[in-house]
Amino acid sequence: MIQGIDYAAIAPPLILAAAALALLLADAFDAPRRLISLLSGGALAVALAAVAVLSFGDRRATFCLPGVLRGSGPRSCSYVADDFTLLFQGIVLAAAVVVVLLSLQEITDSKMPAGEYHFLLLAAVVGALTLVAARDLVLLVVALETLSLPVFALAALRRYDGTASEAALKLFLVSVVSTAIMLFGISLVYGATGAMHLDRIAPALARLPADLDPVAAAGSVLVLAGFAFKVAAVPFHFWAPDVYQGSPLPVAAFLSVVSKAAGFAGLTIVLALGLPSYGHVWGPVIAVLAAVTMTVGNLVALRQRTAIRLLAWSSVAQSGYMLAPLSVGADRLPEAVAATTAYVALYAVMNLGAFAVVIGFRRRAVPLSPSWDTLDDYRGLARRSPHVAAALAFFLICLAGLPPGVMGLFAKVVVFRATVAGGVTWLAVVMAVNTVIGLYYYLAWAVRLFTPADGPSYDPAPGLPVRTAIAAAAAGAVVLSVAPQIVLQTVTQAT
């Protein structure tokens, strides 16, 4: 059986896969690091342009089942480039471009091999792009592993650093366990339905015999557990703080934004397209996960004294907010998916900006202080570098959800409204309490920027790529704070 492949539909991941191999080959011939980084960023930009072109056309699909006999259902496709896919691919690629900018100086300072670094980075992005377009469980797992495996190596790429090796090992072990759990869940779903494509699983579950109901319910929960690792939801969150601290900071930014966005895209695809009939099963599970995740993340963040670990636990708490709308189950599911997607898009801008400032500050402070990462090192930053301090303060205010960071407030209102509309009122109350808790540590860090330094002060002097990343994130945050409806309108149309 021979079937055609729609190369236009798969153009974004195909471009990056070819570029990754080309960069690895260029590194073998001792190409300059700057050239490799420039080519990596250029490949991401070309893939982003391909996504923009596809967004003006109709829905495309490829890797479809062959024609079937009349009455046996429509053709099912493994890879679909619809509005939802293209929206998430745009988020992933735009964030990856910023990560490349943040990586330029890190590669030199940490003496990492540029070719290997960018090959692994692009390979992980290929997995993320495929994950958001996958519409069958096999491709979802393959894409999830394609996203995860390169990140293990990225985390350990500073070969002389024992902390990085430890971080990579923790990430690997937790990932292996979660993947095994997810595969077991997929086997149960397949055994109950006899299908792998999501558009065939959904109707099969709707008419499932009663004796197979426990099998499908258990499979649904186990598949959900696999995605819980990717989005750092409790209890699969233990890897996040140590991995963020031990990895190169651009890799931590990648995990916090790109990997998390792809994980939430895959989760919403599976729940909305494949498992809506079991919303009464996975809805309460997600509600508990969301409540525990945001509570644990915020409470532990209160005790952090270093910037990276605070951002790590903050990222865990933010995952709880993103999960909250999905707790409504099958009721009002389109609105819930739109709310989660909007929060992911807005969070990407806020968090990347905060990471960009921390990376720029670290470069200057490292030679002067072994404790460069403490929050107290940021005291007096507004006096020494007002633009950098203003940017970081604005990102923190956005993450806290306070004016003038309206985009953060808008994101929390959207998920709060979707949760209340779905009838999960108790979770909305938990979310409100956690939002108040989060205000403290975000504002405590922001206040330090404007208080005099007690000891030696550090004047951050980030290079041009990092300054460009900070400026781009700040511009995006300002625009989305002035007109946050841009995101909601786009997301509503896509979902």
Side-chain angles (χ1 to χ4, degrees), residues 59-110:
R59 172 184 181 274
R60 309 181 76 103
T62 189
F63 305 120
C64 303
L65 294 178
V68 293
L69 297 175
R70 184 172 55 186
S72 60
R75 296 180 67 193
S76 299
C77 299
S78 297
Y79 187 103
V80 175
D82 54 15
D83 290 340
F84 180 85
T85 295
L86 297 176
L87 173 62
F88 264 102
Q89 287 184 340
I91 294 172
V92 166
L93 289 169
V97 170
V98 176
V99 171
V100 168
L101 290 174
L102 299 178
S103 303
L104 290 172
Q105 191 61 43
E106 181 72 25
I107 291 173
T108 302
D109 293 345
S110 299

Side-chain angles (χ1 to χ4, degrees), residues 121 138 143 355 382:
L121 182 66
V138 173
F355 265 101

Side-chain angles (χ1 to χ4, degrees), residues 22-39 107 112-116 118:
L23 291 178
L24 194 61
L25 185 62
D27 184 58
F29 287 93
D30 294 326
R33 292 178 177 176
R34 290 283 177 177
L35 177 60
I36 291 176
S37 299
L38 180 63
L39 293 176
I107 291 173
M112 294 185 293
E116 292 179 34
H118 286 287

Side-chain angles (χ1 to χ4, degrees), residues 377 453-458:
D377 286 336
D454 298 329
S457 60
Y458 312 115

Side-chain angles (χ1 to χ4, degrees), residues 141-212:
V141 172
V142 171
L144 197 62
E145 291 306 296
T146 305
L147 169 60
S148 300
L149 292 176
V151 177
F152 304 154
L154 282 172
L157 207 53
R158 291 189 305 207
R159 300 185 178 96
Y160 56 86
D161 189 349
T163 306
S165 301
E166 179 185 351
L169 181 60
K170 289 179 179 178
L171 182 60
F172 172 75
L173 292 176
V174 179
S175 177
V176 167
V177 173
S178 64
T179 300
I181 293 173
M182 187 176 184
L183 287 173
F184 184 46
I186 288 175
S187 69
L188 294 179
V189 172
Y190 176 72
T193 63
M196 281 293 187
H197 290 80
L198 298 177
D199 60 350
R200 293 176 180 256
I201 291 175
L205 289 177
R207 57 175 184 268
L208 199 66
D211 57 335
L212 292 178

